[in-house]
Amino acid sequence: MINENLKRYLKSELKELGVKKIKEDVVILKDLKGREFYFMTGENEGYLIYDLRSGHIIERSESFKIPYNDLQDKYYFGPLNYYVKENGNFTHLNKGCGKIGKEDAKILQENLDSILNNMLLEPNISVLNYVNGVLTGETLQLPKSKKVYIRNYEKIKYANFPSNWDGSCSFVAGALMMYYWYATGNEKLIPSNYINSKNNMLIDTGKRYDPNTNLKDKLVQLNGGETSSWGKPLKESIKKFCKQINFKEKSHYYIGKLNLTNEIKAGRPVVFFGLFPPDPVAYSEARGKISHGVIVYGYVYNFWSNSFICHYGWDGWNYQEVILSTYVEGSITTFKPL
């Protein structure tokens, strides 16, 4: 039985996201190991998925809705991996992804296990105490800040992405920016040889360079094989790629962070280059900064000044949504389909 504190907490988090009409029911999802996850959604859009063991919300969105229904045998294998079990196979709820067998499900389970193990290393004690009745009060009061996201930002935050093993961080960010547009209605932008047919996300070839199946490697190839970049070279690689596939687009680069906030307000992600913390999760001024490229999909105000929300392009759930509260700006690359 779902306790009332948990319901109140999940409902307050959905309200904080801006979801206005919220379904009262908490739905239970499960994985191959029998662990349960708690799913609450809005009437029309918005959802969150909560892990009872760590106290963390694994994923959330104010604009997307997962199409589970009451009659389905519901499975969850981590962010953007929503399945139902039918006749021994697992069917992905994203349109066009199809079915997988138990062996493929085990691979997804391993990825979920890694995320959950990392979360357990940093449990959300305040939430766990509230949900378990250790704290009192009608609502859990946690420090809040105002955040603005582009619509469907979870397509970036929770996406699979090519590995940055060769210093190609800016092209990882560029591939994610292109994938966002592909996943939000522009399917012609990325040919099928770069997309994993099982989950409709980008293929990662790891440390094997393959411009025929790895979109990041293709962008590097179009940059003459040079893995380092800034705003202008990334823009040129993307334009060359789009010209090859006859896709109409409009992309620019700017020095500094000119137009970055305006692009986010217009609902478009941006690749941001600069000197950033070498580890934003365990940041220390004494460790200096590194040259890096990230994809920005939101910003924060009334808490930090000039702070952007980005995917750092590194593996690990705590690098999916990083607040850039300290940086030295370099350049940006913008993109939009025509």
Side-chain angles (χ1 to χ4, degrees):
M1 184 176 180
I2 310 297
N3 73 51
E4 290 303 314
N5 278 4
L6 175 58
K7 283 186 178 181
R8 278 195 291 267
Y9 169 63
L10 299 181
K11 196 169 183 178
S12 70
E13 289 296 301
L14 279 174
K15 286 182 177 178
E16 185 68 25
L17 279 174
V19 179
K20 301 190 183 306
K21 294 183 178 180
I22 300 172
K23 288 187 176 180
E24 294 293 331
D25 294 337
V26 177
V27 177
I28 296 177
L29 313 177
K30 58 187 176 182
D31 64 6
L32 290 181
K33 294 186 175 180
R35 290 176 295 205
E36 294 181 344
F37 307 91
Y38 297 91
F39 170 65
M40 182 174 265
T41 182
E43 291 284 351
N44 301 311
E45 59 184 10
Y47 73 94
L48 52 80
I49 298 174
Y50 173 79
D51 174 43
L52 193 64
R53 291 153 296 280
S54 68
H56 287 292
I57 292 173
I58 301 180
E59 63 173 298
R60 71 185 84 199
S61 173
E62 85 284 0
S63 57
F64 185 62
K65 186 174 181 180
I66 306 171
Y68 286 115
N69 68 48
D70 292 340
L71 300 178
Q72 293 169 327
D73 191 9
K74 307 171 188 65
Y75 278 79
Y76 178 66
F77 296 133
L80 299 185
N81 282 298
Y82 325 118
Y83 285 83
V84 293
K85 192 173 184 180
E86 300 172 322
N87 301 321
N89 290 318
F90 297 89
T91 302
H92 200 298
L93 294 181
N94 281 356
K95 186 179 179 181
C97 287
K99 297 180 180 180
I100 61 173
K102 192 166 185 180
E103 292 305 311
D104 287 325
K106 286 180 179 178
I107 295 174
L108 295 175
Q109 180 70 53
E110 290 175 3
N111 293 333
L112 175 59
D113 289 345
S114 177
I115 293 172
L116 296 175
N117 288 337
N118 285 328
M119 286 182 167
L120 285 171
L121 294 175
E122 301 176 42
N124 195 331
I125 301 299
S126 297
V127 171
L128 287 172
N129 285 341
Y130 177 76
V131 169
N132 294 323
V134 178
L135 297 178
T136 58
E138 285 298 310
T139 320
L140 176 64
Q141 297 297 324
L142 295 174
K144 299 289 184 183
S145 54
K146 297 292 184 181
K147 297 181 180 179
V148 174
Y149 296 98
I150 63 172
R151 188 171 178 82
N152 295 315
Y153 69 93
E154 71 280 353
K155 298 297 184 181
I156 295 172
K157 179 175 178 179
Y158 302 124
N160 288 353
F161 57 94
S163 301
N164 175 21
W165 58 274
D166 53 356
S168 57
C169 56
S170 57
F171 294 102
V172 172
L176 275 171
M177 180 167 67
M178 294 173 70
Y179 175 74
Y180 170 82
W181 290 107
Y182 164 87
T184 54
N186 297 273
E187 292 87 355
K188 293 182 179 179
L189 175 58
I190 303 180
S192 61
N193 51 300
Y194 296 106
I195 297 295
N196 185 332
S197 61
K198 292 177 181 177
N199 60 12
N200 203 35
M201 290 197 239
L202 290 173
I203 293 172
D204 177 23
T205 56
K207 293 186 178 181
R208 176 171 58 86
Y209 175 77
D210 186 358
N212 293 317
T213 62
N214 186 315
L215 181 59
K216 181 265 294 185
D217 290 346
K218 181 62 178 179
L219 294 177
V220 169
Q221 182 187 65
L222 292 171
N223 192 43
E226 176 58 53
T227 57
S228 61
S229 183
W230 59 288
K232 184 178 180 181
L234 176 61
K235 181 210 77 168
E236 294 300 329
S237 287
I238 291 174
K239 290 187 81 69
K240 289 176 184 177
F241 180 88
C242 290
K243 186 175 181 180
Q244 287 183 359
I245 63 171
N246 197 29
F247 185 89
K248 294 183 179 181
E249 50 75 39
K250 193 170 187 179
S251 53
H252 295 283
Y253 80 93
Y254 300 94
I255 302 299
K257 59 178 181 9
L258 181 67
N259 282 340
L260 203 167
T261 301
N262 287 339
E263 286 293 299
I264 298 302
K265 287 180 177 178
R268 298 188 287 267
V270 179
V271 177
F272 186 23
F273 302 84
L275 296 176
F276 303 143
D279 188 344
V281 178
Y283 176 65
S284 168
E285 284 284 354
R287 297 179 62 192
K289 293 181 173 66
I290 60 169
S291 180
H292 193 37
V294 301
I295 181 163
V296 176
Y297 57 81
Y299 62 89
V300 183
Y301 63 95
N302 291 339
F303 193 68
W304 294 282
S305 59
N306 298 322
S307 296
F308 297 102
I309 304 170
C310 71
H311 191 306
Y312 228 60
W314 294 353
D315 288 328
W317 67 275
N318 44 7
Y319 296 111
Q320 296 172 334
E321 183 169 329
V322 171
I323 307 296
L324 281 178
S325 55
T326 176
Y327 56 83
V328 178
E329 62 200 54
S331 60
I332 70 169
T333 301
T334 66
F335 175 90
K336 68 177 179 178
L338 293 179

